[in-house]
Amino acid sequence: MREEIKQNKNLVWSFKMIFVFLFVVCSLIFFFYTVGKEKAVTPKAQVSQKTAASVAQYRYYIKMKDNHAIVYRTDHTVFEYTDLNQELLPESLEKELITGKYFYNEEELYEFLETYTS
């Protein structure tokens, strides 16, 4: 009888350990599955949504074209051609203007232009 009880306790303990093991494995699988999904969505989809939302606030942007900075409205029409030469700008500003520098209003735009034109 004692051996039977001891075998039952061992059997119950074994089932408990198997259950705990399966629970941990399933939890890890779920965790890595959800983390993987978040990473898959983050890079381009979320960045482009944020960029589109933030650009809507701006009225103008400057972008380099043929080594000169051109001011555009946010509807992509040319607002003004500038004398800013890409070769004369600081490297950090040059990189920023290649991707586009945005301004909320004309005052902000002209303050920037006056800083870099003579």
Side-chain angles (χ1 to χ4, degrees):
M1 178 100 163
R2 283 185 158 177
E3 279 188 41
E4 199 175 297
I5 293 174
K6 189 175 182 181
Q7 282 182 338
N8 284 343
K9 283 185 178 182
N10 285 340
L11 189 61
V12 169
W13 186 84
S14 296
F15 279 123
K16 284 181 181 179
M17 294 311 295
I18 290 171
F19 176 76
V20 168
F21 175 76
L22 289 175
F23 178 77
V24 169
V25 168
C26 290
S27 297
L28 288 173
I29 289 171
F30 177 75
F31 173 76
F32 287 114
Y33 175 75
T34 56
V35 169
K37 272 190 154 187
E38 288 175 8
K39 285 183 180 178
V41 172
T42 301
K44 290 189 180 179
Q46 288 183 349
V47 170
S48 62
Q49 290 171 355
K50 288 179 184 177
T51 303
S54 62
V55 168
Q57 302 172 32
Y58 298 109
R59 293 184 56 205
Y60 306 97
Y61 66 96
I62 298 177
K63 200 165 186 178
M64 298 305 293
K65 184 174 181 182
D66 300 326
N67 291 335
H68 288 283
I70 300 175
V71 180
Y72 296 91
R73 292 181 182 92
T74 51
D75 65 359
H76 308 294
T77 59
V78 173
F79 177 72
E80 185 176 336
Y81 294 94
T82 71
D83 293 333
L84 288 177
N85 190 328
Q86 184 173 356
E87 296 168 356
L88 302 175
L89 298 173
E91 188 176 331
S92 60
L93 181 60
E94 182 182 336
K95 288 179 181 178
E96 188 176 8
L97 292 179
I98 289 172
T99 58
K101 180 167 180 62
Y102 291 82
F103 301 92
Y104 292 105
N105 53 43
E106 278 187 53
E107 182 181 337
E108 193 177 272
L109 169 66
Y110 284 117
E111 283 177 16
F112 172 81
L113 290 174
E114 287 173 6
T115 304
Y116 291 99
T117 57
S118 49

